[in-house]
Amino acid sequence: MRNSPNTGAGGPSRRTLLAAGAAAGALTACGQRAGRAFLSSDTHPSDYPTVQAVDEMARLLRERTNGRLDVKTYSGGQLGSERDTLEITVFGGLDMNRVNLAPLNSIEPMTTIPALPFLFRSNAHMRRALDSPVGDEILASLTRHGLIGLCFYDSGDRNFYNTKRPIYTPADMKGLKIRVPNSDLYIAMIRALGADATPMSISEVYQSLVQGVIDGAENNWPSYESGRHFEVATYYSLTQHVIAPEVLVMSGRRWNKLTEEDRALVRQAAKDSVPFMRTLWDARVEAARTKLMAVGVKVNEISDSAAFSAAMRPVWDKYIVTDRQRRLVQEIEAMAEAG
Ligand code: GTR
């Protein structure tokens, strides 16, 4: 990996390393009995669509190999933050990892493309673009960092939420302390709106909101709900500034030990879990929205989203600098028409 995902934070914690080591040991023991279980990590709870999708992938693998290939996910962030577990995945302490694209932004410039503010017009646009060769090219860009990109999953649109006030215009963001994932791109986006960006792992957000260390954050409906952030930050403003996907990666070290046949099986099972995930995702977004409206979260629409888009536009020039990036951005924009 060229730039460590731990830049500025000093590597995975001892707790994370110990947890991953213990989990890997346990799996080796049971893997000898029931076939080869890949150890995977996810920060979301076990009922979240990303975890369920990897469970579906595991089911397909078991079915197609008579249980020889399998995946076991450690959910709920048991093994640590996305940034820490990515590092462990690269050196082979974990076989697989489901993360957002954000922690990969500072590692691989191609991953900044789907995370650009206001690039995708809709979820449908994102799905169309990432199902095309553009998506394959972005997944393949991870290989040189020791990660094999298996598939993209949905993550819906991200919106701002905070404890202070509704956000209607970029001016309303001024001075707010907003948590972002550990990504330079996200930091730049928040600064472009005149707010203060505080990068931290999602597991720290709830407590930081309670203690007033941050005023708010930004995320999709399901994460805002499942992390209980809505209990503290009750203003949810539908800026829809990013529609970036999740990604499922495999450790290159583990991958290199697989036969060609098993690689094809792994790729196919990951790909086949995507439509399953999308169905779960759409239902989960609706369920989270309905629940949060019912408990009285103060939701507001944005009448002039072009004002947000214009304010955040300089971020594109800062992070889209190579011809290859520009070509992919153009290809994605050309796929916007159909909605
Ligand atoms: C969620 C995403 C997580 C994590 C989180 C965050 O939407 O599913 O993987 O990236 O956002 O903001 O840290």
Side-chain angles (χ1 to χ4, degrees):
M1 195 175 286
R2 300 199 169 179
N3 299 310
S4 161
N6 282 297
T7 310
S13 67
R14 194 175 133 74
R15 187 186 68 81
T16 300
L17 288 168
L18 288 175
L27 277 182
T28 311
C30 70
Q32 277 155 3
R33 262 183 282 121
R36 229 180 148 75
F38 299 119
L39 167 60
S40 189
S41 173
D42 199 307
T43 47
H44 287 302
S46 57
D47 68 347
Y48 201 85
T50 51
V51 181
Q52 303 260 302
V54 176
D55 285 350
E56 170 66 3
M57 175 189 170
R59 191 188 65 76
L60 293 171
L61 275 179
R62 284 195 304 273
E63 190 179 275
R64 293 169 185 177
T65 65
N66 273 327
R68 187 175 56 83
L69 295 181
D70 197 0
V71 186
K72 161 91 178 115
T73 297
Y74 282 77
S75 57
Q78 292 171 67
L79 301 182
S81 70
E82 294 189 359
R83 193 174 58 171
D84 284 356
T85 57
L86 266 179
E87 178 130 329
I88 293 169
T89 310
V90 169
F91 75 64
L94 270 168
D95 301 314
M96 286 172 44
N97 208 339
R98 193 294 310 163
V99 293
N100 194 263
L101 267 195
L104 290 162
N105 291 164
S106 311
I107 299 166
E108 171 47 55
M110 295 291 280
T111 67
T112 59
I113 296 171
L116 286 174
F118 298 101
L119 171 67
F120 295 120
R121 311 294 194 271
S122 63
N123 220 29
H125 180 201
M126 184 205 70
R127 288 174 178 177
R128 190 160 52 245
L130 297 181
D131 287 346
S132 81
V134 169
D136 295 335
E137 195 168 337
I138 296 170
L139 288 175
S141 72
L142 297 173
T143 307
R144 69 190 178 118
H145 304 286
L147 295 168
I148 304 300
L150 294 178
C151 64
F152 289 112
Y153 290 136
D154 276 28
S155 196
D157 42 81
R158 290 176 81 103
N159 303 299
F160 287 108
Y161 50 91
N162 78 93
T163 58
K164 304 278 187 205
R165 54 182 178 255
I167 305 298
Y168 292 105
T169 69
D172 296 325
M173 296 288 296
K174 204 166 166 39
L176 287 180
K177 282 178 282 170
I178 301 292
R179 173 272 172 178
V180 287
N182 287 293
S183 153
D184 292 347
L185 175 71
Y186 277 77
I187 294 173
M189 284 195 258
I190 300 309
R191 288 188 181 151
L193 294 174
D196 290 339
T198 307
M200 65 172 69
S201 132
I202 195 161
S203 62
E204 296 166 56
V205 172
Y206 182 85
Q207 204 54 30
S208 301
L209 285 168
V210 170
Q211 292 169 346
V213 174
I214 52 172
D215 300 315
E218 44 85 57
N219 223 312
N220 51 45
W221 283 101
S223 292
Y224 177 50
E225 188 266 325
S226 82
R228 294 177 25 238
H229 302 169
F230 70 92
E231 291 175 6
V232 199
T234 52
Y235 295 101
Y236 194 66
S237 305
L238 302 175
T239 45
Q240 301 184 313
H241 51 281
V242 167
I243 310 184
E246 318 282 1
V247 61
L248 180 65
V249 294
M250 180 165 234
S251 168
R253 291 202 176 183
R254 189 73 171 86
W255 183 257
N256 291 339
K257 291 185 194 140
L258 296 179
T259 61
E260 280 300 331
E261 192 199 7
D262 283 353
R263 288 181 191 171
L265 282 162
V266 167
R267 275 206 191 281
Q268 192 59 46
K271 201 166 174 268
D272 292 344
S273 70
V274 173
F276 176 86
M277 193 281 173
R278 289 177 178 172
T279 304
L280 289 184
W281 178 254
D282 291 342
R284 181 75 176 219
V285 171
E286 271 323 296
R289 191 202 315 268
T290 305
K291 172 181 165 180
L292 297 186
M293 300 294 266
V295 299
V297 159
K298 300 174 205 80
V299 180
N300 70 278
E301 304 268 350
I302 305 295
S303 57
D304 183 14
S305 79
F308 285 87
S309 169
M312 294 165 108
R313 186 71 189 197
V315 169
W316 286 43
D317 300 331
K318 186 168 178 203
Y319 289 95
I320 301 304
V321 291
T322 67
D323 288 346
R324 195 172 168 215
Q325 285 180 312
R326 285 196 195 99
R327 174 176 56 78
L328 290 194
V329 168
Q330 276 170 11
E331 286 180 29
I332 291 173
E333 291 195 300
M335 287 184 240
E337 276 76 47

